[in-house]
Amino acid sequence: MTQDRLSQTFSALADPTRRALLARLSQGEANVSDLAKPFLKEMSLPAVTKHLKVLERAGLITKSRDAQWRPCKLNGEPLKDAVDWMEHYRVFWEQSLDRLGEYLKGKGHGRKR
Amino acid sequence: MTQDRLSQTFSALADPTRRALLARLSQGEANVSDLAKPFLKEMSLPAVTKHLKVLERAGLITKSRDAQWRPCKLNGEPLKDAVDWMEHYRVFWEQSLDRLGEYLKGKGHGRKR
DNA sequence: TGTGTATTTAACCATTAGGTTAAATATAAA
DNA sequence: TTTATATTTAACCTAATGGTTAAATACACA
């Protein structure tokens, strides 16, 4: 199925290998074999290539060419829409922290000691 | 595979039906058939049940019991970790906006007219 | 023109995801 | 105890995911 943009972003992020690749790329450009190195005990090079392709199709990275190397660069823009979507729900994770905060501040008016 | 928490959250969000279910629940509790109603032209009730189960396993909703109804309630906490992860990349979507901002402010010192 | 290094593609496989229909279960109420 | 409504489970199907190995391609250089 041709997924909508947001689904594509979220499903690209739904894999720890791919998140680790993005984390590595947040420190700077790197080519495929550099990126693959930390994973070659766990999986093959073509497996990493496939993960990179998923990230590329999601627009989260772009590959350029330098001789036989393919330097990859992180592109954060798709994350903006994802975060924007999630921000609508901020109240749903902050409300529980509020309750915790009020409890800790002793606003319970003597309830629970 | 038993996924890590973050992967489970992102993959739960990687489906438009499930995001729509969460959007509906952000307006308040609803039971399964209420939630399913907008989707029954596109899919069956058991399909919706499955989506709700995915959201439940991801900790994004909780179901309670009221006679034969199963009221569902949104739980935003897993989204916090997801947003926290993404915030590390904020600079990667803001930097391009900065460049746009600087361009618009004419900070280009005459380059590119 | 080979040769070495980097990367991708092809062909395949097992598991998961997302859907279906039919049957089972839970609960209230006649 | 039957009936009606709400929901889930079972069994099944197809396509997508994430991995493999082997072969192909891209490029620099002796």
Side-chain angles (χ1 to χ4, degrees), chain B residues 30-77:
Chain B
N31 58 44
V32 174
S33 38
D34 290 340
L35 289 169
K37 198 164 303 169
F39 302 104
L40 294 181
K41 289 103 192 173
E42 309 156 27
M43 72 186 69
S44 68
L45 185 60
V48 177
T49 293
K50 281 192 180 187
H51 281 302
L52 290 173
K53 186 138 299 189
V54 171
L55 293 171
E56 200 178 13
R57 273 190 289 123
L60 287 162
I61 68 170
T62 50
K63 259 180 265 189
S64 47
R65 316 180 70 133
D66 171 17
Q68 65 264 60
W69 294 277
R70 298 290 175 269
C72 302
K73 181 173 162 303
L74 196 153
N75 171 23
E77 278 181 42

Side-chain angles (χ1 to χ4, degrees), chain A residues 4 11 64 70 88 100 107 110:
Chain A
D4 60 288
S11 70
S64 47
R70 297 292 174 270
H88 287 103
L100 176 63
K107 278 198 181 171

Side-chain angles (χ1 to χ4, degrees), chain A residues 11-68:
Chain A
S11 70
L13 298 179
D15 181 286
T17 303
R18 289 194 292 265
R19 289 196 306 275
L21 289 167
L22 292 178
R24 168 66 185 76
L25 286 172
S26 72
Q27 324 249 123
E29 293 196 16
N31 59 43
V32 174
S33 37
D34 291 340
L35 289 169
K37 199 163 305 167
F39 301 104
L40 294 181
K41 287 103 190 172
E42 310 155 27
M43 71 185 68
S44 69
L45 185 60
V48 176
T49 293
K50 282 192 180 185
H51 281 301
L52 290 173
K53 186 139 300 189
V54 171
L55 292 171
E56 200 177 14
R57 272 189 291 123
L60 287 162
I61 69 171
T62 50
K63 260 180 265 191
S64 47
R65 317 180 69 132
D66 171 16
Q68 65 263 60

Side-chain angles (χ1 to χ4, degrees), chain B residues 5-109:
Chain B
R5 197 96 180 97
L6 216 41
S7 298
Q8 215 172 344
T9 303
F10 282 128
S11 71
L13 297 179
D15 181 284
T17 303
R18 289 195 292 264
R19 289 196 306 276
L21 289 167
L22 292 178
R24 169 65 186 77
L25 286 173
S26 73
Q27 324 249 122
E29 292 196 16
N31 58 44
V32 174
S33 38
D34 290 340
L35 289 169
K37 198 164 303 169
F39 302 104
L40 294 181
K41 289 103 192 173
E42 309 156 27
M43 72 186 69
S44 68
L45 185 60
V48 177
T49 293
K50 281 192 180 187
H51 281 302
L52 290 173
K53 186 138 299 189
V54 171
L55 293 171
E56 200 178 13
R57 273 190 289 123
L60 287 162
I61 68 170
T62 50
K63 259 180 265 189
S64 47
R65 316 180 70 133
D66 171 17
Q68 65 264 60
W69 294 277
R70 298 290 175 269
C72 302
K73 181 173 162 303
L74 196 153
N75 171 23
E77 278 181 42
L79 296 179
K80 181 178 186 335
D81 295 320
V83 167
D84 285 350
W85 185 87
M86 293 206 279
E87 284 297 341
H88 288 102
Y89 298 87
R90 176 174 287 279
V91 59
F92 289 94
W93 71 78
E94 284 191 342
Q95 71 187 1
S96 46
L97 296 180
D98 286 352
R99 275 201 293 268
L100 175 62
E102 284 179 27
Y103 173 76
L104 291 177
K105 275 187 285 180
K107 279 200 181 167
H109 298 294

